[in-house]
Amino acid sequence: MTRIARATIHAAALRENLAVVRRHAPGARVMAVLKADAYGHGLLPVADALAGADALAVSCLAEALPLREAGFGHRVVLLEGFFSGDEIPLFAERRLDAVIHAPWQLDCLESAARGRPIDVWIKVDTGMHRLGFPPEAAAGVYRRLRACPAVGEIRWLTHLASADDRDDPTTGAQVDDFEAARGELPGEVSLANSAGTLGWPVAHGDWVRPGICLYGASPFIDGGGRPPLRPAMTLEARLIAVHRRCKGDRIGYGGGFTCPEDMPVGVASIGYGDGYPRHAPNGTPVLVAGHLAALAGRVSMDMLCVDLRGAPQAAPGDRVTLWGEGLPAERVADAAGTIAYELFCRLTPRVERIVEE
Ligand SMILES: Cc1ncc(COP(=O)(O)O)c(C=O)c1O
């Protein structure tokens, strides 16, 4: 038996989730967010599966250039634009869109050498308070960009801070402030991340920018009302040992779990060296041969132990699902005090990636 710590990427699930997005935002075009190696799922396989999207978004040239080299002709938007003026010629040559969020980027564009103009998106800060121009500066930024020979088409973008909470009034206020900032100025608009796409029709605009929901995780903080999404990644390992432990036996480093009764405890072939969160506590759900079981004791680098009382028939070689089909990553993330985004992005290269149609 070889060691198995494997992420299966389900291309069909990615496509189905894209269809869910289109059903929720029928009037908008879809910019699929593929940054951070497509949220840990693998940039090029995900781009292949989501080739039906209208545009792709990444965070930097290192993520954009492989898309062009692989032949993807989509509009590719770099969500933080260029990181220095000397990147501008590559944006022009490779036809990449830059989000413009700061005055220094305007200066760079104004002093750029003549070349093919690049398409830009003005980022307006309507409440996220991370990147972007204040709403009152938006019209001035537009005028400067419009006068700049290095700039082609101009579009508008803002980012929603609290759309994951369907009751939070911040989102409506951000939409209003965005519209007011742009006023009568021309250009398509984009506001909605996954939560905005699935939960806030008022924020659909011309382009939605879903990320996490394409990978099959709910973007909402309330687990209830999970949209009909299919996990695009199943992370699995195998049981490599099963022991009968006695009441009072302590499991793993520091004896982090004490057996409350005589019980079976399994050892799975995956640990924090693969990216499974070390801080996941006792009771974090796992599936063993399809049965719900629970983490027992501290996660080790290469292994973790499982309370098998929920799967008493379990035997070495059985499949252990850490998240994916049958166990949404959000449930694991909730137990571990994190978010599905982080679980996906933290997988290490030791995890074998398989793409399944
Ligand atoms: C600017 C921007 N738009 C869209 C997204 C996609 O967000 P989500 O994965 O929540 O859909 C992100 C991701 O953080 C982002 O930074």
Side-chain angles (χ1 to χ4, degrees):
M1 183 162 79
T2 52
R3 181 176 191 269
I4 292 180
R6 174 186 297 154
T8 303
I9 307 306
H10 311 289
L14 289 161
R15 286 192 293 271
E16 283 170 35
N17 296 335
L18 176 59
V20 170
V21 163
R22 290 214 186 272
R23 278 201 298 280
H24 276 78
R29 272 174 283 172
V30 179
M31 183 191 303
V33 180
L34 268 54
K35 60 187 179 162
D37 200 26
Y39 291 42
H41 291 60
L43 177 68
L44 295 182
V46 170
D48 262 335
L50 296 179
D54 306 295
L56 307 174
V58 294
S59 70
C60 57
L61 281 176
E63 297 175 343
L65 296 179
L67 290 171
R68 285 287 181 256
E69 274 144 34
F72 291 97
H74 299 68
R75 182 175 294 283
V76 173
V77 181
L78 281 81
L79 293 170
E80 285 130 69
F82 44 84
F83 290 82
S84 68
D86 54 18
E87 290 185 338
I88 292 175
L90 257 182
F91 275 69
E93 185 191 318
R94 307 318 306 262
R95 291 184 303 101
L96 302 171
D97 286 23
V99 168
I100 304 299
H101 59 80
W104 68 262
Q105 291 177 312
L106 293 177
D107 299 341
C108 289
L109 285 166
E110 284 168 345
S111 53
R114 276 194 180 274
R116 182 191 166 278
I118 64 172
D119 294 344
V120 299
W121 300 67
I122 300 173
K123 183 155 190 172
V124 183
D125 178 10
T126 54
M128 178 79 173
H129 295 153
R130 191 175 61 178
L131 287 184
F133 296 97
E136 59 277 14
V141 172
Y142 178 87
R143 278 192 289 276
R144 271 179 75 181
L145 288 170
R146 197 53 301 153
C148 182
V151 171
E153 296 168 0
I154 301 177
R155 295 180 174 78
W156 298 86
L157 175 146
T158 193
H159 197 45
L160 302 175
S162 304
D164 56 347
D165 180 349
R166 297 182 230 225
D167 297 321
D168 193 317
T170 312
T171 301
Q174 283 196 259
V175 172
D176 292 344
D177 290 351
F178 186 56
E179 279 171 9
R182 191 173 67 103
E184 298 298 310
L185 293 168
E188 294 168 350
V189 301
S190 175
L191 304 87
N193 53 4
S194 295
T197 303
L198 301 182
W200 296 88
V202 69
H204 284 168
D206 300 299
W207 290 85
V208 292
R209 303 190 310 274
I212 195 72
C213 70
L214 293 172
Y215 305 100
S218 170
F220 298 112
I221 51 172
D222 53 346
R226 192 176 190 278
L229 301 166
R230 236 186 95 189
M233 175 195 291
T234 298
L235 180 66
E236 60 168 316
R238 291 285 184 273
L239 280 184
I240 57 172
V242 174
H243 303 283
R244 188 92 206 147
R245 299 296 182 198
C246 299
K247 179 174 178 180
D249 281 351
R250 297 168 73 223
I251 307 296
Y253 286 116
F257 177 85
T258 304
C259 295
E261 57 185 317
D262 293 356
M263 58 183 276
V265 175
V267 182
S269 57
I270 194 163
Y272 66 78
D274 304 288
Y276 189 88
R278 181 178 177 277
H279 59 271
N282 290 331
T284 302
V286 302
L287 294 180
V288 176
H291 300 281
L292 190 61
L295 193 67
R298 271 190 213 156
V299 175
S300 307
M301 186 183 290
D302 312 317
M303 288 169 271
L304 52 79
C305 292
V306 184
D307 171 347
L308 289 175
R309 285 175 294 174
Q313 310 305 324
D318 278 358
R319 174 191 298 245
V320 179
T321 303
L322 290 313
W323 59 72
E325 300 273 11
L327 180 58
E330 311 90 280
R331 276 187 62 194
V332 179
D334 275 352
T338 182
I339 51 177
Y341 302 69
E342 189 183 16
L343 294 182
F344 297 149
C345 288
R346 279 188 167 239
L347 290 187
T348 66
R350 188 164 75 173
V351 175
E352 179 191 13
R353 271 28 173 224
I354 291 181
V355 181
E356 180 187 88
E357 265 315 301

